[in-house]
């Protein structure tokens, strides 16, 4: 079989009706664990239904997360999952993916500082303070997505979002200065 890459250089993985995954680059069958490892290594891949050629990458990645979560060491808190589920169908739903991507990208960029702060290596340092402020920002952002009762909810959400953007910009300036 011919090796295939998506137009963006991502490896094409074909998923067959029998649930088997076929890596067109290595010409071999693989498991979800292999895909999880490829993700950890930063390898780009696209999973397609072998029969219809439909892109099912999102579904497969979600399945990998479910398997990782079921192994006992959960990363997604129950409250977060409830809030996420509550956002489906909400007027703010369209904003959630971009917000989560930006949050994870910011976390990834600052991962070394977060890890050091959490482990206490820099107790009472700017890194520890940055971690506390980022956690406060994330909590404030999460509360911005909770429905408000009464009053001008749309205006309040706009104000909260503007405040969060300002705080994020301020924190990014601090991180840039520290770097």
């Amino acid at each position: 079989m011919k090796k295939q890459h998506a137009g963006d250089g991502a490896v094409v993985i074909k998923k067959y009706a029998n649930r088997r995954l076929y890596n067109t680059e290595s010409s071999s069958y693989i498991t979800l664990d292999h895909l999880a490892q490829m993700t950890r290594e930063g390898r780009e891949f696209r999973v397609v239904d072998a029969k219809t050629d439909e892109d099912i990458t999102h579904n497969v990645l979600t399945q990998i997360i479910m398997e990782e979560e079921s192994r006992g060491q959960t990363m997604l808190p129950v409250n977060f999952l409830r809030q996420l589920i509550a956002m489906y169908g909400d007027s703010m739903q369209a904003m959630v993916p971009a917000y989560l991507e930006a949050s994870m990208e910011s976390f990834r960029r600052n991962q070394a500082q977060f890890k050091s702060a959490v482990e206490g290596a820099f107790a009472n340092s700017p890194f520890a303070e940055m971690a506390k402020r980022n956690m406060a920002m994330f909590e404030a952002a999460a509360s911005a997505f909770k429905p408000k009762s009464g009053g001008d909810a749309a205006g309040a959400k706009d104000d909260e979002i503007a405040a969060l953007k300002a705080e994020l910009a301020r924190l990014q300036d601090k991180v840039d200065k520290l770097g």
Side-chain angles (χ1 to χ4, degrees):
M1 180 169 250
K2 186 175 139 187
K3 293 180 183 178
Q4 291 184 345
H5 288 272
D8 58 3
V11 176
V12 174
I13 308 295
K14 291 187 176 188
K15 185 172 184 179
Y16 290 92
N18 63 3
R19 297 184 181 177
R20 293 191 75 185
L21 299 165
Y22 185 79
N23 182 333
T24 60
E25 180 181 62
S26 65
S27 299
S28 62
Y29 287 99
I30 60 172
T31 65
L32 288 176
D33 286 338
H34 288 106
L35 290 180
Q37 187 58 37
M38 287 174 70
T39 301
R40 288 183 193 98
E41 293 169 357
R43 298 284 317 275
E44 292 291 324
F45 59 85
R46 186 170 63 93
V47 183
V48 297
D49 182 284
K51 187 175 182 180
T52 66
D53 211 34
E54 175 189 2
D55 188 331
I56 57 172
T57 307
H58 183 273
N59 295 348
V60 171
L61 292 173
T62 303
Q63 188 177 358
I64 291 169
I65 290 170
M66 298 225 356
E67 286 203 4
E68 292 289 334
E69 288 286 305
S70 72
R71 290 187 177 143
Q73 195 169 19
T74 61
M75 189 177 348
L76 302 174
V78 170
N79 195 40
F80 171 81
L81 293 171
R82 287 186 174 144
Q83 289 175 4
L84 188 61
I85 291 167
M87 293 305 299
Y88 283 94
D90 186 275
S91 61
M92 301 290 281
Q93 179 178 345
M95 291 178 55
V96 174
Y99 171 78
L100 291 176
E101 279 187 42
S103 296
M104 286 304 293
E105 179 60 25
S106 175
F107 182 81
R108 187 195 61 76
R109 279 194 316 266
N110 299 309
Q111 191 171 12
Q113 290 92 345
F114 278 125
K115 188 174 183 180
S116 296
V118 169
E119 291 174 355
F122 294 106
N124 301 319
S125 75
F127 292 125
E129 184 61 29
M130 180 184 68
K132 286 180 200 172
R133 288 180 188 264
N134 279 335
M135 288 307 295
M137 179 192 68
F138 287 130
E139 288 170 6
S143 71
F145 289 114
K146 291 180 185 173
K148 302 269 189 274
S149 59
D152 182 17
K157 284 183 182 178
D158 290 343
D159 291 345
E160 287 183 62
I161 290 169
L164 289 170
K165 285 180 180 178
E167 177 70 6
L168 184 58
R170 189 180 68 69
L171 290 171
Q172 189 60 51
D173 286 343
K174 276 189 169 185
V175 169
D176 292 343
K177 288 176 185 173
L178 290 171

